[in-house]
Amino acid sequence: MTTAPAPQPGIMGIDLYQGGASKIAGRDDVLKLSSNENPYGAPPSAVEAARVAAADMHLYPPTDHAPLRRAIAEVHDLDPERVICGVGSDEVIHWLCQAYAGPGDQVLHTEHGFLMYGISARAAGAAPVKVPERDRTVDVDALLDGVTDATKLVFIANPANPTGTLLNGQDVTRLADGLPDGCLLVLDGAYAEFADDFDGGLRLAETRANVVATRTFSKLYGLGGMRVGWAYGARDAIDVLNRIRGPFNLSNVALAAAEAAVRDRDFAAMTRDGNAAQRARLICGLRALGLGCDDSQANFVLARFADRATAEAADAHLQAAGIVVRHPVGYGFPAALRITVGDEAGTTRVLDALRAFAERDDDL
Ligand SMILES: Cc1ncc(COP(=O)(O)O)c(C=O)c1O
C-alpha cells in the first residue's frame, strides 16, 4: 500500500475554526447573536445589484476589481491603486501570512486575538505567538517586548474581537513606530466603522510602509454571506499581495453587491446609529444585572460572569429562550458570553432572558 503524502509542517497543528452557531433544534424563532452579523440584514441596494449581476453568472468576473476599488477609494478618500479586495478579510489575513511569514518566522497577536491570525500563521508554516493584554485591551508595550528578530507580522484588531475594546490612535501610532524594520503591522478594522471618530488606521496605512489596514463588508455593510473584504497599504505591499491573489477570487455577484453597499451611505449610517443606540442599552442592561462589561466600540459586547459554570448556565438559559450567543472559550474567555448587538426587539429579548436567568434562584 502506498503512504499518503504528509501535509506541510504546522498544518495539522491548526484547530478547526468554529463559526457562531445558528440553529437550535426544534425552534423556528431563533435570534442569532453569535457571529456579529448585521441585524438589519443586507442593504436592499446590494440585494438588487446582486440580482442584476446574477444574470452574468456564466461569465468570469473581472480580475482587477476596478469599479469596487474605485468605490471604496471614493467613500474613504483613498488611492484606489492601494486597495486590494479579498474573499472576506479572512483571505487578506491569509495572504499576509503567506507572503510575509514562513518556517522559522513568528506572527504576533494578542492573548485574546482573532483566531484566524493563528490559523493563517500556521498555514504559512510560521509560529503564532500570543502576548498578554492589559484589562482586555491590546497592550502596546507587551507587543513591542514580544517582538524578536523572527517576528514578521503583528496583528491587532481594533476594536478587538471578542472584547470590543479600542486602542487609541496615539498608541496605535506608537506601536507602528516602535516596530523594527522588516516587521509589518496589520490593523484589522473589521469593526472600525462602529467606533466613534475612528478611521480604522487607514491614515496610518497611507503614510507608513510598514502598516496594512484591513476592512470587511461582513459587518456594517451586512454582506457576511457574500464574502468581501479589503486592505489598504503601501503600493509595494499591495503589489506583493496581488501576486498571490487568485485572479477570479470575487464573483460578479459579490463585486456588484459590495460596490452598491459601500455607496449606500444611508444604510451604513442607519446601521451605525442603530448599533450605537442598542449597544448602549445592552451595556447598561448587562451592568444593571451586575455583569462585567467593557465599553465596547464594536457591534458586540462581552458579558463577564462570575465563573465558567455560570456562563454555561446563562448560555443554556438563552438557548432555551431561542437565543444563540457565542461562548468564547477558544478566545480565552470561558466565563464570558459574547453577544452581538441586535435591533431594538432583539436587544429587549436578550436582556429579558438574562433578567429571567438572574432572577431564577439568584443565578448571577
Ligand atoms: C477581528 C476580525 N477580523 C476579521 C474577520 C473576518 O471577517 P470577514 O472574513 O468576514 O471579512 C472577523 C470576522 O468575524 C473578525 O472578527
Side-chain angles (χ1 to χ4, degrees):
M1 209 168 89
T2 53
T3 350
Q8 289 294 310
I11 305 261
M12 297 313 288
I14 296 174
D15 290 330
L16 288 183
Y17 183 88
Q18 305 285 335
S22 56
K23 292 196 167 64
I24 299 175
R27 289 199 77 122
D28 56 9
D29 63 342
V30 171
L31 173 62
K32 186 184 180 205
L33 299 176
S34 56
S35 298
N36 304 336
E37 291 149 333
N38 192 317
Y40 308 104
S45 55
V47 175
E48 175 57 15
R51 195 190 61 73
V52 171
D56 284 340
M57 65 171 74
H58 60 299
L59 301 175
Y60 275 97
T63 60
D64 65 1
H65 309 153
L68 176 57
R69 287 189 295 109
R70 241 186 343 261
I72 291 170
E74 274 171 39
V75 169
H76 293 279
D77 193 18
L78 303 171
D79 174 358
E81 298 303 317
R82 296 173 58 179
V83 175
I84 185 169
C85 301
V87 180
S89 45
D90 277 352
E91 190 181 33
V92 180
I93 293 167
H94 218 69
W95 295 330
L96 285 161
C97 289
Q98 190 187 343
Y100 290 103
D105 295 332
Q106 294 179 344
V107 174
L108 243 61
H109 60 87
T110 63
E111 193 180 351
H112 304 294
F114 182 46
L115 294 176
M116 286 309 297
Y117 307 149
I119 291 177
S120 294
R122 286 200 163 90
V129 176
K130 283 186 195 178
V131 304
E133 297 183 7
R134 185 183 302 161
D135 296 333
R136 296 168 300 283
T137 305
V138 169
D139 182 343
V140 171
D141 295 309
L143 276 167
L144 292 175
D145 283 352
V147 172
T148 69
D149 290 346
T151 309
K152 294 295 182 313
L153 286 159
V154 174
F155 281 95
I156 63 165
N158 207 21
N161 176 15
T163 53
T165 54
L166 186 75
L167 189 67
N168 69 49
Q170 270 179 333
D171 279 339
V172 178
T173 305
R174 190 161 72 82
L175 176 59
D177 289 346
L179 292 176
D181 283 349
C183 181
L184 192 69
L185 173 63
V186 183
L187 299 175
D188 178 341
Y191 303 98
E193 296 97 340
F194 296 107
D196 301 327
D197 304 322
F198 179 56
D199 80 340
L202 290 174
R203 294 302 139 207
L204 209 58
E206 184 121 278
T207 51
R208 302 284 202 289
N210 69 336
V211 177
V212 169
T214 64
R215 299 292 270 265
T216 184
F217 280 89
S218 303
K219 314 294 177 182
L220 183 85
Y221 293 105
L223 297 184
M226 275 292 157
R227 311 302 303 126
V228 188
W230 55 280
Y232 193 67
R235 275 178 190 247
D236 286 352
I238 298 304
D239 175 54
V240 166
L241 302 183
N242 264 319
R243 288 167 195 270
I244 54 175
R245 177 175 67 81
F248 305 109
N249 61 330
L250 291 178
S251 71
N252 287 320
V253 174
L255 287 165
E259 187 185 344
V262 75
R263 291 191 185 284
D264 194 338
R265 295 175 195 241
D266 290 344
F267 182 87
M270 181 274 290
T271 297
R272 198 179 295 116
D273 292 349
N275 181 71
Q278 298 313 315
R279 183 178 63 197
R281 260 187 84 207
L282 185 58
I283 292 175
C284 192
L286 293 171
R287 287 182 181 158
L289 292 173
L291 295 170
C293 183
D294 293 312
D295 282 325
S296 167
Q297 289 283 308
N299 68 341
F300 54 83
V301 163
L302 188 72
R304 303 193 306 277
F305 294 78
D307 50 36
R308 180 177 184 149
T310 314
E312 281 171 351
D315 194 17
H317 180 88
L318 288 173
Q319 286 192 38
I323 304 169
V324 190
V325 299
R326 188 74 170 261
H327 187 200
V329 178
Y331 285 94
F333 286 114
L337 296 177
R338 191 194 69 189
I339 307 170
T340 301
V341 176
D343 60 10
E344 190 173 351
T347 307
T348 302
R349 191 166 154 194
V350 75
L351 282 175
D352 284 351
L354 282 171
R355 206 169 294 117
F357 174 72
E359 284 163 5
R360 199 185 69 177
D361 309 322
D362 273 344
D363 262 325
L364 291 179

